[in-house]
Amino acid sequence: MRLVMVLAAALAVAMSSGTVYAKMVMQTFPVLAGAGAHDVYPAPDGTVWFTAQSAGKLGHLDPRTGKSDLIALGPGAAPHGVIVGPDGAAWVTEGGQNAIARVDPATHGVKLFPFPKERRNANLNTAVFDGQGVIWFTGQTGIYGRLDPKSGTMAVFDAPRGTGPYGIATTPGGQVFFASLAGNYLGQIDLETGGVTVLEPPVPRQGARRVWSDSRGALWITGWNSGDLFRYDTKTKGWGRRHLPGDRPQPYAVYVDNADAVWVSDWGANAILRFDPQTERFESFPLPDNYASVRQLAGRKGKVWGAESAADKLFMINSE
């Protein structure tokens, strides 16, 4: 596939504190038309995994060549999230088969960990590993749970307030939190009991969607309904709030890079925003395609990755 380089010229962003000028160089990587690329996750070897939700497969991109492959996950597959585990494998929340899937990075062999029969149609969303090698996951029908990859033991719990569990994150200290889009809260999971403490953001009905931890263990959460970027300090238990620039911001994905800069996809502006916690300023980087629909961000040192779901492309931003 042809690798496309998109150069964005200097962009002035009007803000309450003044004007910020930023330059961005973005590389885009076309994938199979109709793939419906949803979540992305870069692997240690420089390749990138992505869920081709519409195609019902897991994608694997080599940015050096621009070539991508699709891996079949099984009949009726509809993968949502993908992460790379401590074992180097790709772990997928596979909603179509109501299972967690492990994909071997060398053989591309697929192993399914199916949900209990009484937990059908969980509408699986996102997963994360804790510090003990256990994978935790969310389902929008109102569940969250854990899977021990070594034993294959799975436990599924009912979420507070029913439907809504969406993004999930682990802090450097091993705590696990999830965001509930319909429930409008941040949930802290007790890793021993599986219970949840509901943490209320400072804006009601904010639509907490995605969550990511910075290096200090603070959580950054997008408010899909309110247009806010929230910060929850796990040490002081305090909240911070920054409203995104623009008339009708809709923050969806969030990712915190190795320098603790916070990256957000804003559907309202069709752009990727970079928030500097030190200066408390946003920089806006426009996306190359109209209505790109960036649903998730991830990265490794110096690089931020995402998917333009509506344009069948992955993209990479040099963040250094």
Side-chain angles (χ1 to χ4, degrees):
M1 293 186 180
R2 186 170 62 92
L3 180 151
V4 180
M5 178 75 79
V6 179
L7 298 178
L11 173 71
V13 183
M15 296 177 54
S16 59
S17 57
T19 302
V20 176
Y21 292 92
K23 289 185 178 180
M24 175 189 69
V25 177
M26 177 185 288
Q27 290 177 273
T28 62
F29 304 83
V31 296
L32 178 71
H38 201 287
D39 281 21
V40 298
Y41 209 93
D45 64 0
T47 62
V48 181
W49 296 99
F50 64 96
T51 49
Q53 191 174 60
S54 299
K57 297 181 179 180
L58 180 66
H60 195 213
L61 168 75
D62 186 342
R64 292 162 291 195
T65 64
K67 183 178 183 297
S68 61
D69 300 311
L70 294 180
I71 301 163
L73 297 173
H80 190 288
V82 60
I83 58 173
V84 174
D87 58 355
W91 289 83
V92 182
T93 44
E94 213 302 83
Q97 298 175 93
N98 210 42
I100 303 296
R102 180 190 184 275
V103 179
D104 188 281
T107 67
H108 290 180
V110 179
K111 180 178 180 179
L112 295 179
F113 296 86
F115 270 47
K117 292 181 180 179
E118 64 272 16
R119 295 287 188 172
R120 294 175 180 155
N121 303 316
N123 194 4
L124 291 171
N125 196 283
T126 317
V128 70
F129 278 88
D130 65 18
Q132 305 302 315
V134 173
I135 188 169
W136 292 83
F137 51 81
T138 58
Q140 286 194 80
T141 54
I143 63 96
Y144 65 97
R146 65 186 176 216
L147 167 68
D148 184 341
K150 294 180 180 179
S151 65
T153 303
M154 181 183 291
V156 183
F157 307 97
D158 292 317
R161 302 181 187 172
T163 59
Y166 205 93
I168 191 168
T170 303
T171 68
Q175 296 174 300
V176 179
F177 296 78
F178 69 86
S180 178
L181 176 60
N184 298 296
Y185 66 86
L186 178 68
Q188 180 175 358
I189 301 175
D190 184 315
L191 303 188
E192 295 297 324
T193 67
V196 169
T197 299
V198 172
L199 305 169
E200 303 280 3
V203 177
R205 298 181 296 280
Q206 78 294 133
R209 188 148 208 166
R210 295 276 195 177
V211 55
W212 206 283
S213 175
D214 64 21
S215 65
R216 298 176 179 86
L219 282 303
W220 294 86
I221 307 104
T222 49
W224 172 251
N225 297 333
S226 66
D228 295 309
L229 175 64
F230 298 100
R231 180 182 184 271
Y232 177 72
D233 191 318
T234 56
K235 297 181 176 67
T236 67
K237 315 299 182 186
W239 285 91
R241 173 199 176 200
R242 295 294 179 274
H243 195 70
L244 272 62
D247 295 331
R248 296 182 179 178
Q250 276 194 305
Y252 197 125
V254 63
Y255 163 69
V256 183
D257 68 20
N258 58 284
D260 277 346
V262 185
W263 297 79
V264 178
S265 66
D266 180 4
W267 280 35
N270 196 47
I272 303 299
L273 305 183
R274 180 185 182 275
F275 179 73
D276 185 338
Q278 299 301 315
T279 65
E280 297 191 354
R281 289 186 172 184
F282 287 96
E283 295 175 272
S284 180
F285 304 127
L287 288 158
D289 297 281
N290 292 331
Y291 310 108
S293 302
V294 178
R295 304 170 188 274
Q296 186 255 359
L297 297 169
R300 290 193 176 272
K301 185 178 181 180
K303 293 179 174 59
V304 178
W305 282 91
E308 292 188 317
S309 295
D312 292 316
K313 295 177 183 177
L314 305 189
F315 65 84
M316 184 272 290
I317 300 172
N318 284 305
S319 60
E320 293 184 323

